[in-house]
Amino acid sequence: MPEGDTIHKLAVYLDAALAGRVVTAVRLHPAFGASAGARRVLRVTSEGKHLFLTFDDDTALRSHLGMYGAWHRYPRGADWRKPRRQASVVVSTETDDFVCFNAKEVQWLRRSGFQRADQAARLGADLIRDAVAPAELRRRVAAFLAPDTTLVDLLLDQRIAAGIGNVYKSEVLFLERRAPLARIRDLDDAALLALYRRAAALLGENLGGGARTTRFVADGRGRLWVYGRRDLPCFHCGTPVRRAVLGRQPRSTYWCSVCQG
């Protein structure tokens, strides 16, 4: 599933392919708004799990892949691997179509407009690009979340810090020995900061090629500590890993009931 590391790598790839080029059309699924004609791409960037294509006419196209979205590249005229009805965005050049399928959100923005500024303000620090500032982290937590908010909800809230998805949520909580249903009020400032520094480190470790990895042990037993390992023994204590659907927006969470209390 796309998380901050995936979107960052996607932005780097699309920027190399499109920055400085004139695209012949930007076609949106009608559910997301109007299509547009030829324009030059200035850059492609990521902010957490959001991707921005910025153009030379003061517009930017924001997309969020959600759980099921994906970008594909096809030579013009080639068959697509997914049905055309699933295309949320098609960015065409003279030689290629860059197709975003099944996006959760797509939005036109003015680069210098209120909506773009508001979008940036509503996202916390990008954990790949920005240093974690302790005072700002605590300020955003106090501003947006109640003290009884669970840690599964805390880590997925992009207003606090951007880039953590469902896999990193479970892995960070395991590595920091925090129970998924512990509350914000259970953490002091140092423990709160440690969660986000751990997430930033893991995201940074996964900016190269290869499968997502949080367990850097070359024993062939697995790349992740708990995610996807329901009923398998914990790598630390041997207790079967648990799984449950938790949180305000229910998502699968994996944890060790012994190591994480």
Side-chain angles (χ1 to χ4, degrees):
M1 61 188 65
E3 303 197 23
D5 53 346
T6 303
I7 305 306
H8 178 88
K9 289 185 283 189
L10 176 61
V12 170
Y13 173 79
L14 291 176
D15 189 66
L18 292 172
R21 296 184 65 181
V22 173
V23 298
T24 58
V26 181
R27 299 190 297 277
L28 270 59
H29 188 285
F32 291 121
S35 297
R39 58 198 55 209
R40 186 181 299 278
V41 178
L42 293 181
R43 58 188 173 274
V44 184
T45 57
S46 64
E47 295 179 16
K49 294 189 280 186
H50 299 260
L51 184 80
F52 292 87
L53 278 76
T54 302
F55 301 95
D56 65 352
D57 62 348
D58 196 41
T59 62
L61 186 67
R62 180 185 68 86
S63 61
H64 189 299
L65 295 180
M67 292 284 287
Y68 306 109
W71 281 86
H72 294 189
R73 180 178 184 172
Y74 299 101
R76 291 294 296 274
D79 292 335
W80 293 359
R81 297 195 301 275
K82 291 181 179 289
R84 289 182 176 265
R85 67 178 180 275
Q86 295 181 17
S88 305
V89 181
V90 183
V91 179
S92 297
T93 69
E94 293 182 352
T95 57
D96 297 282
D97 287 324
F98 298 82
V99 188
C100 177
F101 292 102
N102 300 314
K104 177 184 177 183
E105 300 171 3
V106 178
Q107 180 186 24
W108 283 111
L109 299 167
R110 285 284 173 188
R111 280 191 292 146
S112 56
F114 169 79
Q115 283 186 308
R116 180 67 182 94
D118 182 60
Q119 174 69 34
R122 285 190 291 114
L123 287 176
D126 184 309
L127 291 172
I128 291 174
R129 185 189 63 229
D130 304 323
V132 181
E136 176 64 5
L137 179 64
R138 178 54 76 179
R139 185 193 72 79
R140 295 184 80 90
V141 169
F144 292 117
L145 297 174
D148 64 349
T149 300
T150 63
L151 299 191
V152 292
D153 288 323
L154 166 71
L155 290 180
L156 291 181
D157 196 317
Q158 304 299 295
R159 298 172 300 178
I160 309 305
I164 301 173
N166 210 38
V167 176
Y168 286 115
K169 173 199 72 180
S170 290
E171 296 294 288
V172 166
L173 290 174
F174 175 78
L175 289 166
E176 292 298 317
R177 303 294 187 264
R178 297 292 171 182
L181 294 181
R183 309 285 172 166
I184 290 175
R185 63 171 176 257
D186 299 329
L187 303 182
D188 59 20
D189 287 355
L192 177 68
L193 182 61
L195 290 175
Y196 287 94
R197 284 184 169 164
R198 176 78 72 172
L202 293 177
L203 286 161
E205 291 277 5
N206 282 276
L207 297 183
R212 182 177 291 140
T213 301
T214 62
R215 182 175 179 267
F216 302 96
V217 181
D219 59 4
R221 298 175 63 199
R223 295 175 287 99
L224 302 175
W225 288 101
V226 289
Y227 190 87
R229 301 190 66 249
R230 180 180 185 176
D231 295 331
L232 295 175
C234 171
F235 286 121
H236 276 312
C237 72
T239 302
V241 171
R242 296 184 62 186
R243 173 194 174 272
V245 177
L246 303 175
R248 289 195 302 262
Q249 297 180 348
R251 302 283 182 85
S252 293
T253 300
Y254 297 82
W255 76 101
C256 174
S257 58
V258 172
C259 292
Q260 296 173 248

